[in-house]
Amino acid sequence: MTVNETVQGWVYLLLELAVLPYLLVPLGKFFPPESAAAWVNTIYYVINFVCCGLIFRRFLGQNLALAGKKPLELLASSMMGFVLHMAGSFLLGYVIELLAPGFSNVNDAAILEMARGNFELMAVGVVLLVPLTEECLFRGLLFQGLHRKSRALAYAVSVLGFCALHIVGYIGVYPAETLLICYLQYVPAGLSLAWA
């Protein structure tokens, strides 16, 4: 990443986490109640997608070119990352079930509820728009930027930030213990995506 991409990326990451969600909440009143949350989240996803596409266009272009040159390596690392994610999620899920039987992740439940309100919007957002944003910010900006200095620090910061993104909107709404368990449930994905 260039210095310009890095600076703009950090500014945008802070805006994405601390400002953008709160600016968009009032838009919910313009949509039918049963799909308002899905619409507001989709607007959030689109803004993130466009901003990250603009900020990281050079970085994305270089990585797409590299993926085109090494498609088998891309496929192998993606498959191995998926296997690591599934194994880690299974083990963590087993431990959580022992400690908190019947526990449900509040973010996953919210996404499912929004999908019931408007499945197409949520599918486009979660499958197409969100991955570009998360990969640019957490695996590009955070992981790659720190990897040159310290591999352990790169993993720690990118995983901690990735997990925080998935629970930050629920702080003050749910008990701290619930959010801690939800936070931990994103660790396998954060680690496996950074590894891949």
Side-chain angles (χ1 to χ4, degrees):
M1 272 188 195
T2 65
V3 173
N4 196 28
E5 285 175 314
T6 302
V7 170
Q8 289 178 12
W10 276 103
V11 169
Y12 186 73
L13 178 60
L14 295 174
L15 290 172
E16 178 202 19
L17 292 174
V19 177
L20 187 57
Y22 304 102
L23 291 177
L24 296 178
V25 169
L27 294 178
K29 66 183 174 189
F30 297 107
F31 301 102
E34 65 277 1
S35 65
W39 278 102
V40 171
N41 272 281
T42 300
I43 293 167
Y44 176 76
Y45 300 153
V46 168
I47 291 170
N48 285 331
F49 182 84
V50 170
C51 289
C52 284
L54 292 171
I55 292 169
F56 301 111
R57 63 187 173 279
R58 186 185 147 283
F59 171 76
L60 288 167
Q62 287 178 332
N63 281 284
L64 285 173
L66 182 61
K69 291 177 185 174
K70 299 181 177 187
L72 294 178
E73 286 181 30
L74 174 66
L75 181 62
S77 68
S78 297
M79 289 173 54
M80 188 59 165
F82 179 74
V83 168
L84 290 171
H85 166 65
M86 294 306 292
S89 293
F90 175 78
L91 291 173
L92 186 59
Y94 179 75
V95 171
I96 290 171
E97 187 60 33
L98 288 175
L99 299 174
F103 181 82
S104 177
N105 185 301
V106 297
N107 186 55
D108 292 349
I111 290 171
L112 286 173
E113 186 60 34
M114 286 184 276
R116 285 187 195 101
N118 196 319
F119 179 79
E120 294 81 11
L121 278 179
M122 291 309 294
V124 167
V126 172
V127 174
L128 298 176
L129 303 176
V130 171
L132 176 111
T133 301
E134 289 182 355
E135 293 311 303
C136 285
L137 294 173
F138 296 102
R139 267 58 75 181
L141 181 68
L142 294 177
F143 185 81
Q144 187 181 32
L146 293 169
H147 191 266
R148 292 180 196 102
K149 294 174 179 63
S150 166
R151 178 179 283 191
L153 183 64
Y155 273 102
V157 172
S158 68
V159 171
L160 292 173
F162 176 76
C163 295
L165 174 71
H166 291 87
I167 66 154
V168 72
Y170 304 104
I171 295 173
V173 178
Y174 292 95
E177 307 82 42
T178 299
L179 296 181
L180 177 61
I181 295 171
C182 293
Y183 185 92
L184 292 174
Q185 287 181 314
Y186 291 103
V187 170
L191 283 171
S192 61
L193 288 166
W195 178 86

